[in-house]
Amino acid sequence: MKKVGFIIVGLLMTLAAVAQEIAVEQKIDSIAILIGQQAHMTVGVTAKKGQRVVFPQFKRTQQITPGVEVLESTPADTTSLDNGMMKVQKTYTLTSFDEKLYAIPGMKVKVDGKSYAANPAALKVITVDVDTLHPNQFYPPKDVQNNPFLWSEWSGIFWLSILMLLLCGVGYYLFIRLRENKPIITHVRFVKKLLPHQRALNAIDKIKAAHLSTSEDQKTYYTQLTDTIRQYINERFGFNAMEMTSSEIIDRLQHTGDQKMIDELKELFQTADLVKFAKYSTLINENDLNLVNAINFIDQTKIEGEETTEKIVPKLSEEDKRSRHARVTIKSLIYVILAIVIALLVYVLIRVTQLTM
């Protein structure tokens, strides 16, 4: 019996020691609050390190006691203490909408599966005093107050606006330069290229239309007629007849056609040389005969073909090329500046709208 008594006493002493080691404390940061305000209740547990502590859980707006709601709770926070102990705390946010003095029961916390109760607490909820003696006396709502001006909020908009104005000035200057610098316009022409015999016969038609064969100025008549034949020979046979003498031309043409035709052409050149250099006077029928011989020579030696069209592109001088390049550069700069100004304007308007709303 004595042994049993000693065992019971030992167990009681062990339980008492364990109970002394575990402590649960509950406190509220506010004794009284107004209706709708919030109070924070902290539940702290002191236990040995490694022990498992479980706090009570509440859903949002769940009542911890009739009239007092739990809005939210923080995660448990553990702090190490001396002698192998630790302290675990959890905070609950409380509120109430009824005027009353509430008794908050002590929270039950489990440590290693065993339940421990904290000390109870009190919370008083009061209402705002109402003036019942002057029910008709009321105050109008306050006017809307302007937000204070902060340079830090507006400085970026100010400097961007200055930059935008400077870019507009540069763009206007470039536009004036572009307007004063007239564009260089080149016209591409398409010219119908005549065959050598067509060009020569057209020239002879002009000589006939001018009636030079019957005029007293025979030198002009034979000069134009022989120049037409020389130009035709140059284009048709491929040698520079314009810089050759009459005899040299005839020698080059000896093997290119009928001998009779060559003789007629030789007679034409000889008559022309006499008229131009020896002041020889010819008769009208002789002039007409030489004209007919020139036409026969062209008809017998011509090469038929189709007319072609020649594209003539005017060549620009170095100054014109520099001017055109400068215009292209100025136009590109104007487009870039315009895009930047539009982007800055949109950004500034958005920021102003945000700051004034």
Side-chain angles (χ1 to χ4, degrees):
M1 292 295 293
K2 289 183 180 181
K3 291 182 179 180
V4 173
F6 284 125
I7 292 173
I8 294 174
V9 171
L11 290 173
L12 291 175
M13 291 178 65
T14 302
L15 292 175
V18 172
Q20 289 178 355
E21 290 177 354
I22 298 176
V24 181
E25 182 183 10
Q26 176 177 295
K27 59 182 179 179
I28 299 178
D29 61 352
S30 299
I31 299 176
I33 61 173
L34 294 174
I35 289 178
Q37 285 187 336
Q38 298 175 0
H40 297 90
M41 182 181 70
T42 302
V43 179
V45 179
T46 302
K48 288 185 178 181
K49 291 182 179 180
Q51 289 185 311
R52 185 169 178 269
V53 179
V54 179
F55 290 89
Q57 301 293 327
F58 296 92
K59 296 180 180 180
R60 181 174 176 80
T61 69
Q62 181 180 349
Q63 292 186 351
I64 192 172
T65 189
V68 180
E69 299 178 359
V70 178
L71 295 181
E72 61 181 1
S73 61
T74 63
D77 182 25
T78 304
T79 304
S80 296
L81 302 176
D82 296 333
N83 300 323
M85 303 296 289
M86 67 177 180
K87 187 172 185 178
V88 185
Q89 290 184 335
K90 190 177 184 67
T91 302
Y92 299 88
T93 302
L94 310 178
T95 189
S96 178
F97 298 95
D98 292 323
E99 181 182 14
K100 189 178 178 181
L101 177 61
Y102 295 94
I104 307 299
M107 296 291 99
K108 293 182 179 181
V109 181
K110 291 184 178 181
V111 180
D112 287 341
K114 188 175 182 180
S115 180
Y116 296 89
N119 55 294
L123 178 64
K124 185 176 182 180
V125 180
I126 58 179
T127 61
V128 180
D129 294 335
V130 179
D131 188 0
T132 58
L133 299 178
H134 307 89
N136 297 325
Q137 194 176 54
F138 61 90
Y139 300 94
K142 298 292 184 180
D143 294 334
V144 177
Q145 297 181 355
N146 294 326
N147 292 326
F149 175 83
L150 296 177
W151 172 248
S152 59
E153 295 179 346
W154 290 88
S155 60
I157 298 176
F158 173 77
W159 292 116
L160 287 178
S161 300
I162 295 297
L163 176 61
M164 184 170 59
L165 292 176
L166 292 175
L167 289 176
C168 288
V170 173
Y172 180 74
Y173 170 74
L174 293 176
F175 175 75
I176 296 299
R177 286 285 305 276
L178 186 66
R179 188 174 61 180
E180 292 177 351
N181 187 10
K182 295 181 179 180
I184 299 172
I185 302 175
T186 56
H187 298 282
V188 178
R189 295 185 297 122
F190 292 90
V191 180
K192 185 179 292 185
K193 191 174 182 180
L194 299 177
L195 296 174
H197 70 275
Q198 293 175 331
R199 189 177 296 106
L201 292 175
N202 290 340
I204 291 176
D205 288 339
K206 292 181 181 179
I207 295 173
K208 292 166 62 177
H211 302 288
L212 293 177
S213 61
T214 59
S215 68
E216 295 181 358
D217 190 3
Q218 296 181 356
K219 182 177 180 180
T220 300
Y221 168 70
Y222 278 100
T223 299
Q224 293 186 9
L225 183 60
T226 54
D227 286 347
T228 300
I229 297 299
R230 287 172 181 269
Q231 183 64 34
Y232 169 72
I233 293 172
N234 186 16
E235 297 177 359
R236 166 63 179 83
F237 297 99
F239 59 88
N240 190 9
M242 299 298 294
E243 303 295 332
M244 299 172 67
T245 63
S246 300
S247 58
E248 290 174 343
I249 295 174
I250 298 300
D251 290 339
R252 292 289 298 269
L253 294 175
Q254 285 295 331
H255 304 289
T256 58
D258 191 323
Q259 186 60 42
K260 181 181 178 181
M261 176 191 64
I262 300 300
D263 293 339
E264 292 175 352
L265 184 63
K266 180 178 180 181
E267 183 179 352
L268 169 61
F269 278 123
Q270 289 176 350
T271 303
D273 290 339
L274 291 173
V275 171
K276 290 188 290 184
F277 303 112
K279 297 182 181 181
Y280 174 74
S281 296
T282 60
L283 300 176
I284 295 177
N285 59 349
E286 190 177 0
N287 295 337
D288 293 337
L289 179 61
N290 287 326
L291 184 64
V292 171
N293 291 337
I295 295 174
N296 291 335
F297 172 74
I298 295 172
D299 286 337
Q300 294 179 22
T301 58
K302 67 182 180 181
I303 298 177
E304 295 290 346
E306 295 182 357
E307 296 180 355
T308 58
T309 302
E310 183 179 4
K311 181 180 179 181
I312 300 177
V313 180
K315 294 184 178 180
L316 298 178
S317 63
E318 291 298 325
E319 184 177 356
D320 290 339
K321 291 180 180 179
R322 287 194 296 269
S323 179
R324 173 174 287 185
H325 180 72
R327 285 185 62 84
V328 172
T329 303
I330 292 174
K331 282 185 179 180
S332 302
L333 288 175
I334 290 176
Y335 291 145
V336 171
I337 290 174
L338 181 61
I340 295 175
V341 168
I342 292 175
L344 289 177
L345 179 61
V346 172
Y347 176 77
V348 168
L349 291 178
I350 293 175
R351 289 291 297 141
V352 170
T353 303
Q354 292 175 348
L355 291 175
T356 54
M357 288 182 63

